[in-house]
Amino acid sequence: MSVTIQVDLPEEIIREARQLGLLESKRMTAMLEEEVRRRRAGQELKRALDQVRSAPGDAMTMDEINAEIESERKERSSLLAALDKGRNVHSIGPLLRDVLYDGNQPENN
C-alpha cells in the first residue's frame, strides 16, 4: 500500500532538501520509519517510568543504591571464591568471570 503526501514547505527548505536528496521516496520512508521508531521507544520509556514511579515505597537515595551495588559485588566475589577454591580464576571460564566481575578482571595471586 502506498500513500501520496502533499506538504507545503518554504522554497528555501524545498531547495535544500532536494539538494540533499531528502525528498526522495526512499529517504522520506526512512525518515518516517525512524521517527515512528523513536516515538514508540519514547512511549515505552514513558510507560516504564510511570510503572517505576507508581511502585510502592520511597525512592532509593544514591547512598542506598551504592550500598546495594557494593553488596552485590561482595556476593559475586564470595561466589567466585567458592567456585574457585584451590583453582586458578581463569579455569572457571571467561563468561562467568565477566559476569561475576562486571567485566573487571581480578588480579591473579
Side-chain angles (χ1 to χ4, degrees):
M1 179 173 127
S2 67
V3 174
T4 301
I5 299 173
Q6 182 176 339
V7 181
D8 293 322
L9 299 170
E11 285 296 322
E12 185 178 323
I13 296 294
I14 293 171
R15 189 173 29 259
E16 196 169 345
R18 190 172 281 140
Q19 287 174 350
L20 295 171
L22 299 177
L23 298 180
E24 310 242 341
S25 182
K26 287 183 180 181
R27 182 65 181 138
M28 293 290 289
T29 299
M31 287 189 297
L32 287 170
E33 286 173 344
E34 177 63 18
E35 185 61 24
V36 167
R37 186 198 65 74
R38 288 174 35 149
R39 289 191 184 206
R40 283 183 183 155
Q43 290 169 347
E44 183 60 34
L45 181 60
K46 184 183 180 320
R47 277 193 293 273
L49 185 57
D50 289 345
Q51 186 177 10
V52 167
R53 286 181 175 157
S54 68
D58 295 329
M60 294 176 73
T61 66
M62 284 306 295
D63 287 339
E64 290 171 326
I65 292 169
N66 288 331
E68 286 292 325
I69 292 169
E70 185 61 30
S71 173
E72 182 65 25
R73 287 180 177 157
K74 285 180 183 177
E75 185 177 328
R76 288 180 182 191
S77 182
S78 295
L79 176 59
L80 179 63
L83 289 171
D84 194 44
K85 206 172 203 170
R87 290 179 281 166
N88 184 318
V89 169
H90 298 285
S91 69
I92 66 170
L95 180 59
L96 181 57
R97 200 172 50 250
D98 286 347
V99 168
L100 293 173
Y101 284 102
D102 293 327
N104 298 316
Q105 298 294 322
E107 293 181 20
N108 285 332
N109 295 329

